């Protein structure tokens, strides 16, 4: 779904609410938005706003788009980055980095172990299925930016909170227990970050395209309507 917000102070926001993954319908929405609205800027989910001005981070984003495109399975991030690059539009992330997620959650009072566990559920890592594809090592690297930690027994943590039956819904705001509570908090923090990034980017003469999951659009819809003269 795409909504175009014509802002009271001038400028335009093109919000493309996407389905995550290799989805042809999502790619078509993004292609149509670039062809029709000709955005000057594009902001994508999953890449950090705080690092987007770093040329090396921009190279990382381009490299990600090239690899996913070459694989024949471009996701919504790769599609947006490639379309923006091809159109000569600026692009960057609107999201929080993983380290920022950890810092915010620990500052909120969640324990480091619980944040690691919540993130692993969110990544659909089954604690009882063996190999995790490097997800645990990745989470531990990010967790160490907040506090030192040697390791994490994910299976034991999961059993303590949820028992022996894995349900990755507990890594969403709609799930239950500590995992869902942490993901709900971090989702709200990410929505606040998105509002701040949009406020910094929009203005007269600017057409800013935002690629984000549909739930982010639902959360921001009242605010988007409040700053707009017209929605199409």
């Amino acid at each position: 779904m795409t909504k175009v917000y014509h802002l009271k102070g001038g400028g335009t926001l093109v919000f493309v609410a996407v389905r995550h993954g290799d989805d042809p319908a999502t790619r078509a929405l993004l292609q149509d938005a670039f062809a029709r609205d000709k955005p000057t800027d594009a902001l994508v989910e999953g890449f950090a706003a705080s690092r987007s001005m770093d040329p090396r981070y921009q190279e990382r984003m381009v490299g990600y788009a090239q690899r996913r495109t070459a694989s024949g399975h471009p996701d919504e991030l790769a599609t947006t980055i490639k379309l923006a690059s091809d159109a000569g539009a600026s692009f960057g992330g609107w999201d929080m980095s993983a380290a920022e997620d950890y810092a915010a959650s620990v500052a909120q009072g969640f324990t480091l172990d619980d944040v690691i566990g919540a993130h692993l559920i969110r990544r659909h890592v089954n604690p009882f299925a063996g190999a995790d594809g490097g997800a645990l090592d990745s989470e531990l690297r990010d967790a160490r930016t907040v506090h030192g930690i040697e390791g994490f027994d994910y299976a034991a943590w999961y059993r303590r909170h949820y028992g022996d039956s894995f349900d990755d819904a507990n890594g969403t705001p709609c799930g239950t227990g500590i995992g869902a509570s942490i993901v709900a908090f971090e989702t709200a923090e990410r929505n606040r970050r998105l509002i701040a990034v949009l406020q910094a980017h929009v203005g007269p003469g600017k057409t800013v395209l935002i690629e984000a999951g549909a739930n982010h659009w639902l959360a921001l819809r009242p605010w988007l309507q409040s700053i707009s003269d017209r929605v199409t």
Side-chain angles (χ1 to χ4, degrees):
M1 183 216 68
T2 302
K3 290 287 185 180
V4 181
Y5 295 87
H6 305 273
L7 305 182
K8 293 176 181 178
T12 304
L13 290 179
V14 182
F15 201 116
V16 184
V18 304
R19 178 181 297 171
H20 295 304
D22 175 17
D23 178 44
T26 290
R27 288 199 296 275
L29 283 176
L30 290 163
Q31 289 163 352
D32 290 347
F34 270 91
R36 181 187 61 246
D37 301 303
K38 298 178 172 50
T40 56
D41 303 77
L43 299 169
V44 299
E45 186 172 356
F47 285 98
S50 59
R51 299 185 63 189
S52 288
M53 297 303 292
D54 183 343
R56 292 171 297 180
Y57 198 68
Q58 288 266 319
E59 290 176 5
R60 175 180 165 186
M61 294 178 73
V62 170
Y64 176 87
Q66 290 173 338
R67 290 192 299 275
R68 287 298 299 249
T69 301
S71 75
H73 300 284
D75 60 7
E76 70 281 5
L77 282 72
T79 300
T80 306
I81 294 165
K82 186 177 187 306
L83 287 167
S85 181
D86 290 348
S90 68
F91 58 88
W94 63 258
D95 219 334
M96 296 173 68
S97 70
E100 289 169 328
D101 279 341
Y102 272 99
S105 289
V106 170
Q108 183 69 9
F110 296 111
T111 70
L112 197 60
D113 276 5
D114 286 344
V115 181
I116 295 170
H119 285 192
L120 288 168
I121 302 174
R122 184 175 65 187
R123 295 174 73 161
H124 311 289
V125 177
N126 187 332
F128 313 121
D132 60 28
L136 177 57
D137 287 343
S138 171
E139 292 298 335
L140 287 172
R141 282 195 299 272
D142 293 324
R144 289 178 186 127
T145 64
V146 179
H147 291 304
I149 184 170
E150 291 301 317
F152 177 70
D153 188 336
Y154 180 35
W157 176 90
Y158 190 92
R159 283 193 179 95
R160 187 164 65 251
H161 289 284
Y162 292 108
D164 295 320
S165 178
F166 179 61
D167 183 356
D168 60 5
N170 295 320
T172 73
C174 300
T176 63
I178 187 64
S181 295
I182 290 170
V183 173
F185 166 75
E186 291 184 354
T187 299
E189 287 292 292
R190 292 169 65 213
N191 286 332
R192 283 190 280 272
R193 171 63 60 87
L194 178 51
I195 287 174
V197 172
L198 290 177
Q199 289 173 324
H201 276 78
V202 298
K206 289 287 193 74
T207 298
V208 180
L209 181 141
I210 311 101
E211 170 274 309
N215 285 335
H216 292 289
W217 173 74
L218 288 171
L220 268 61
R221 181 170 54 174
W223 175 76
L224 291 165
Q225 291 173 330
S226 75
I227 64 171
S228 303
D229 281 323
R230 185 165 55 94
V231 182
T232 57

